[in-house]
Amino acid sequence: MKTGIIGLPQVGKSSLFRILTKTQLSEQAFSNPREAHIGVAKVPDPRLDQLAALYKPKKLTHASVEYVDVGAIGQEALKESAYLGHLRQVDALIHVLRVFEDAAIPHVGVIDPLRDVKNVEFDLMVSDLGQIEKRLERLEKDLKKMRSADLEKENELLANAKAHLETEKPLREMEMTAEDKKRIRGFMFLSEKPMLYVLNIGESSELGKDLGEAVARYNLGEMANRRNAAGTAICGKVEAELAEMSDEDAAEFLASYGLVESGLSRLIRTSYHLLGLISFFTAGEDECRAWTIPVDTRAVQGAGAIHSDLEKHFIRAETIRWDQLLEAGSEANARAKGTLRLEGKDYIVQDGDVMHIRHSG
Ligand SMILES: Nc1nc2c(ncn2[C@@H]2O[C@H](COP(=O)(O)OP(=O)(O)OP(=O)(O)O)[C@@H](O)[C@H]2O)c(=O)[nH]1
Ligand SMILES: [Mg+2]
């Protein structure tokens, strides 16, 4: 699962990418605006950290998400096939918005993130619309030559999508059946991708408060509450400093700003959930680990995320919520207390479950 980082020129996209993925890229690597950079970020998870404190495992493995940093967005960039190609293949988008003031770094017009959101959304929709129109022309010709139920369905769906876009609403807000979604999946429409708006705010003495209020203050609440969208804020400058610190120093630094966690942690988690992903855990003395699965995954498929053999030879999953396990102090205690459950193949795995897969293989 990949998340693309987009935004207008010089808003802090690459800076965010660098702190997210801790990728050491030379300045030169950033000089080609049509080149995409791909990196992996660990998904911070205090629940997993607490399980690790209990088990003291030899190995601790967090979930991870991939991020893609591309050059600045705009109608011109979106006409380039290399640029479009990078963006199409991601599963969700993060739109970085400039709020920080810095006279040395150019920005088009005054600071106005809502305007920037609307402009970029418009560009994404124009790009999708162009693609749809091209396909509709082709379909019209093909349908004249032969009748096909499949092509007719596609034609109708794309005509609906076109009408939807013409009301200036992104495809992520369109009502679609699972079948419709599948039918248009191949187009990889940009405005259909889940969207996280990220306000990159300046430093302040009340950073905790300012981060918390930013989405409302810059009038993004309405946009961020729409279907398949979310909003959050970070302070890129402070995050860059935090990234250089030890965990202890970072915690102290955050506390001095009245924060319990960094904006970056929240951002990663929000983008993880926006992708429709949750984590379940396996815990033991060898390894404590988070496994990534889509919401509504059955236990037997969850087992498959660990190893295909576990899926094949699945018998049952010993399951307990992470906090119940911590409260019990051990699996044996949990079993005695009755909080450890035995779940079958069709159990829907919940975010934060700790599972032990029993298998016959
Ligand atoms: N003051 C301040 N400057 C920042 C912040 N984030 C980035 N910058 C600066 O803004 C400039 C652009 O940052 P980048 O991260 O390269 O921005 P970008 O969006 O990737 O830029 P392009 O890829 O060229 O569109 C650099 O000089 C950064 O040092 C921030 O939070 N505060
Ligand atoms: Mg950049």
Side-chain angles (χ1 to χ4, degrees):
M1 288 293 221
K2 287 200 189 87
T3 303
I5 302 175
I6 61 166
L8 295 174
Q10 303 282 291
V11 293
K13 299 181 293 297
S14 298
S15 306
L16 175 64
F17 172 81
R18 263 182 276 204
I19 359 176
L20 275 170
T21 60
K22 309 213 167 28
T23 308
Q24 303 293 331
L25 276 169
S26 65
E27 285 301 324
Q28 211 176 3
F30 282 88
S31 65
N32 179 357
R34 295 297 164 254
E35 199 180 296
H37 313 109
I38 300 177
V40 175
K42 189 175 95 169
V43 180
D45 195 329
R47 301 171 302 181
L48 181 62
D49 297 337
Q50 288 179 56
L51 287 171
L54 177 67
Y55 283 91
K56 308 204 170 42
K58 293 188 197 96
K59 203 170 155 204
L60 173 62
T61 312
H62 285 80
S64 60
V65 226
E66 251 187 318
Y67 289 98
V68 183
D69 175 42
V70 293
I73 202 162
Q75 297 220 356
E76 286 312 307
L78 286 170
K79 281 182 194 137
E80 286 175 36
S81 54
Y83 186 85
L84 255 182
H86 292 311
L87 276 194
R88 286 225 177 100
Q89 47 126 10
V90 304
D91 306 286
L93 295 169
I94 287 182
H95 183 177
V96 182
L97 293 149
R98 171 144 169 200
V99 176
F100 68 85
E101 304 270 357
D102 191 333
I105 300 160
H107 186 62
V108 196
V110 294
I111 298 293
D112 183 353
L114 183 59
R115 172 204 59 202
D116 296 345
V117 162
K118 288 186 173 161
N119 285 342
V120 169
E121 290 289 349
F122 186 78
D123 291 349
L124 298 178
M125 291 189 279
V126 166
S127 166
D128 289 348
L129 205 51
Q131 212 187 340
I132 289 178
E133 279 166 354
K134 239 192 263 163
R135 179 65 189 151
L136 281 174
E137 266 171 43
R138 177 85 242 168
L139 279 170
E140 197 184 340
K141 280 189 196 135
D142 288 351
L143 279 169
K144 271 185 195 145
K145 275 185 244 154
M146 57 159 181
R147 301 213 68 77
S148 143
D150 246 6
L151 291 185
E152 263 162 34
K153 271 197 186 140
E154 187 188 344
N155 196 52
E156 190 192 330
L157 180 59
L158 288 180
N160 285 344
K162 179 168 180 272
H164 179 90
L165 285 169
E166 281 164 350
T167 64
E168 294 195 20
K169 285 202 191 103
L171 293 176
R172 79 179 80 91
E173 289 173 25
M174 185 170 151
E175 291 279 352
M176 262 187 273
T177 62
E179 194 202 328
D180 288 349
K181 270 203 191 120
K182 212 164 154 192
R183 197 173 287 278
I184 63 161
R185 193 187 291 155
F187 290 103
M188 300 171 155
F189 289 127
L190 300 180
S191 78
E192 195 193 353
K193 300 180 191 300
M195 174 72 84
L196 173 61
Y197 304 113
V198 176
L199 293 159
N200 188 8
I201 74 172
E203 282 169 289
S204 78
S205 51
E206 288 188 282
L207 195 57
K209 186 164 166 280
D210 288 341
L211 284 171
E213 292 173 359
V215 170
R217 182 175 309 160
Y218 294 98
N219 306 316
L220 278 184
E222 195 268 325
M223 296 290 283
N225 278 328
R226 291 192 187 177
R227 181 207 271 258
N228 291 326
T232 189
I234 55 153
C235 174
K237 262 263 167 71
V238 167
E239 294 298 338
E241 285 170 44
L242 278 168
E244 306 280 308
M245 292 181 198
S246 70
D247 288 354
E248 262 171 41
D249 289 351
E252 207 170 294
F253 184 82
L254 285 170
S256 75
Y257 275 112
L259 292 165
V260 276
E261 66 167 354
S262 79
L264 207 62
S265 303
R266 206 171 33 185
L267 183 156
I268 298 174
R269 270 210 312 275
T270 313
S271 67
Y272 191 68
H273 290 302
L274 203 60
L275 284 166
L277 303 174
I278 57 170
S279 299
F280 74 92
F281 308 114
T282 48
E285 266 124 46
D286 282 333
E287 187 181 26
C288 285
R289 179 163 181 168
W291 301 90
T292 302
I293 48 169
V295 181
D296 289 334
T297 295
R298 292 158 60 224
V300 63
Q301 296 167 313
I306 302 175
H307 200 288
S308 54
D309 281 350
L310 293 186
E311 183 168 355
K312 232 187 280 166
H313 305 293
F314 182 97
I315 300 174
R316 270 187 191 16
E318 289 180 359
T319 308
I320 181 168
R321 249 180 28 220
W322 70 279
D323 51 338
Q324 289 178 323
L325 176 56
L326 284 174
E327 199 188 307
S330 72
E331 275 172 45
N333 286 350
R335 197 171 288 120
K337 282 176 83 165
T339 45
L340 192 81
R341 293 165 274 137
L342 277 180
E343 300 287 3
K345 281 185 176 174
D346 293 331
Y347 169 72
I348 300 296
V349 183
Q350 304 295 308
D351 191 30
D353 276 348
V354 183
M355 302 189 104
H356 184 88
I357 311 293
R358 284 201 199 161
H359 56 97
S360 60

